[in-house]
Amino acid sequence: MNLKKLLKNLEIEKTNEGCSTGTKWLKSGGEKIDSFSPVDGKLIASVNATDAKSYEAVVLQAQAAFETWRMVPAPKRGEIVRLIGNELRKEKDHLGKLVSYEMGKSLQEGLGEVQEMIDIADFAVGLSRQLYGLTIHSERPMHRMYEQWHPLGVVGIISAFNFPVAVWSWNAFIAWVCGDTCVWKPSEKTPLTAIACQKIVAAIFKENGVPEGVSGLIVGGREVGEMMSNDVRIPLVSATGSTRMGKAVAAAVGARLGRPLLELGGNNAIIVTKDADLNIAIRAAVFGAVGTAGQRCTTTRRLIIHEEVYDVFKKKLVAAYKQIKIGDPLDENNHVGPLIDTLAVDAYNKSVAAVKKEGGKQVVAAGVLSGEGFESGCYVKPCVFEVAPHFEIVKHETFAPILYMMKYKTLDEAIAIQNNVPQGLSSSIMTLNMREAEQFLSHKGSDCGIANVNIGTSGAEIGGAFGGEKETGGGRESGSDSWKAYMRRQTNTINWGNSLPLAQGIKFEV
Ligand code: UN1
């Protein structure tokens, strides 16, 4: 891994400022944030975090830019996003590699993440010609009523380390075509990928005369997120991360009656029925559980398996886990890279101890890897435990490759188990029986924001709305009509007649 060359290719070899209004990088007196690669433990960047003064400068610039940006026709804003998408196509290999190296996901998944950005760019370009509202028939003669959508203003984006760039793009690209300006606080664990994105965007903005401030970047920790959550100048704060963080953001944004858009924890299950295609089910379960080393919001954490197929599925699962290669995620022979840092390893160890204490039976052994190639101390073994659904730990999301298996007898029971956790992001059923599939998707089925049939819980396409219920936070991002969260709806009624009839038949004569 030639980091120097990679950083040069991305033109970020000299970067140590973490605060930017677009093309300008601000000198900031914030603490130094070090980014260590979990791949080899090396220090790969040391970035000056945003302080109160530089934060203020970024927000003021974002507000000023909004004045101009909102008046640029939406399809023209879409054109700018199209150019960003093109640039991402060119930079896919470099940026994908950096994502993989800074975050630790496999190169395939790093490239997939950049592809997700390209896809959302394409989606946003089309959307820029479809930001339409409804026309409603008025009850009054010679009146017309319709609704239109206006941009909100400055949108705050808080993103997580696990999708360090894609989730930002879901928010920023859509917000930009909607006419908003953005201020992005990336995870302090992955500042370098954020800086790389900022550079890519800034070059396009500069070439095309986009006002300074449309894309602000504020690298920093919790305090920086709090500045944004409490800031009345930021009408929408979109936050991705832990439920704990989301609750704090929701409380602060709600207290000032701003709008939070939350995409928080998941505790996603696959129901494996006796009518499942077990080969599909196994592949989905293994990718869902160990992909991104179990650090996706959509990671499969629970398998709820019909008792008749339980033993054969377990055997196949153990065999599949034996094939998994753990190691440098940039080596395409490996399936699983490291966890993000040693704190995540501690959380993994704690959950493994907790499930054992509750009586969980080990099916595939847990453990932390050490020795050559594992010097960073962040590599863990994907593991599997047999549990009972009521175990406390099973209700808890641990961001690590720990998979819980449990048995069921009836589909009603399986659905009840699936729903009986605080989180509600993603879910899936493996069945070739249409009655079971339809029940799972019905009002008495999965309570999650995403419910799949014969597909795993992770790897959603950007075209659908992404997000979930309960402790997942209720937000919807990326596709479908998620754009509406980034705009404000206005109802307009126009009287083109020569009198003033009142609604509800009210008579008022003076
Ligand atoms: C996340 O983990 O926050 O569906 C996002 C997926 C990806 C996005 C995950 N497309 O797994």
Side-chain angles (χ1 to χ4, degrees), residues 116 162-163 170 240 263 296-298 458-460 466:
E116 201 157 334
N162 66 332
F163 274 79
W170 294 357
T240 306
E263 197 257 284
R296 290 192 190 210
C297 303
T298 51
S458 66
F466 184 91

Side-chain angles (χ1 to χ4, degrees), residues 136-419:
I136 301 118
H137 285 257
S138 169
E139 68 186 55
R140 286 167 283 185
M142 293 184 225
H143 279 55
R144 185 163 69 83
M145 186 157 55
Y146 76 110
E147 60 184 25
Q148 55 171 335
W149 294 85
H150 295 299
L152 276 177
V154 183
V155 170
I157 303 167
I158 298 174
S159 63
F161 76 84
N162 66 332
F163 274 79
V165 290
V167 173
W168 160 72
S169 70
W170 294 357
N171 285 279
F173 295 0
I174 303 276
W176 286 335
V177 300
C178 290
D180 299 315
T181 58
C182 296
V183 175
W184 176 24
K185 189 199 99 57
S187 165
E188 62 274 32
K189 295 177 181 178
T190 50
L192 207 48
T193 46
I195 288 168
C197 289
Q198 181 75 352
K199 288 263 168 150
I200 289 170
V201 165
I204 303 283
F205 280 12
K206 196 169 181 181
E207 266 167 44
N208 293 278
V210 173
E212 186 75 8
V214 170
S215 176
L217 178 70
I218 48 169
V219 173
R222 183 189 293 190
E223 330 70 63
V224 177
E226 283 168 1
M227 288 180 208
M228 224 163 32
S229 301
N230 290 317
D231 194 334
V232 290
R233 297 169 296 180
I234 302 188
L236 173 71
V237 179
S238 172
T240 306
S242 68
T243 296
R244 209 182 56 183
M245 177 279 296
K247 283 182 177 168
V249 169
V253 176
R256 60 175 174 86
L257 298 183
R259 222 188 264 180
L261 176 58
L262 303 173
E263 197 257 284
L264 312 172
N267 191 349
N268 319 295
I270 299 179
I271 297 175
V272 182
T273 70
K274 64 178 186 317
D275 293 316
D277 177 328
L278 289 188
N279 291 329
I280 290 182
I282 284 289
R283 286 195 55 211
V286 177
F287 177 71
V290 313
T292 326
Q295 300 170 105
R296 290 192 190 210
C297 303
T298 51
T299 290
T300 306
R301 309 210 177 275
R302 299 177 294 145
L303 294 177
I304 305 164
I305 307 166
H306 192 274
E307 57 181 5
E308 276 179 32
V309 291
Y310 188 87
D311 289 335
V312 21
F313 191 83
K314 182 171 147 186
K315 224 189 222 163
K316 280 179 185 280
L317 189 70
V318 171
Y321 264 65
K322 283 209 176 105
Q323 307 299 315
I324 295 170
K325 294 202 189 79
I326 310 163
D328 182 346
L330 289 154
D331 176 345
E332 296 221 52
N333 293 312
N334 293 324
H335 305 100
V336 176
L339 291 178
I340 185 68
D341 56 20
T342 50
L343 289 175
V345 176
D346 293 344
Y348 164 90
N349 283 330
K350 266 197 195 132
S351 292
V352 166
V355 67
K356 285 184 179 163
K357 197 167 163 215
E358 278 193 281
K361 225 173 98 203
Q362 187 170 286
V363 175
V364 177
V368 180
L369 295 163
S370 58
E372 206 189 320
F374 303 124
E375 289 86 352
S376 71
C378 298
Y379 292 84
V380 300
K381 290 188 195 160
C383 57
V384 183
F385 289 90
E386 279 179 309
V387 301
H390 66 266
F391 282 13
E392 222 23 71
I393 191 69
V394 175
K395 310 255 159 93
H396 177 84
E397 178 194 41
T398 307
F399 237 44
I402 305 172
L403 181 61
Y404 304 120
M405 343 174 28
M406 55 208 100
K407 253 183 219 172
Y408 79 89
K409 280 192 174 65
T410 66
L411 186 59
D412 285 343
E413 180 196 355
I415 291 172
I417 295 171
Q418 127 77 34
N419 290 344

Side-chain angles (χ1 to χ4, degrees), residues 34-45 101-102 189 340:
D34 291 333
S35 174
F36 294 95
S37 167
V39 174
D40 52 18
K42 283 192 185 134
L43 177 69
I44 58 175
Y101 188 54
E102 189 178 37
K189 295 177 181 178
I340 185 68

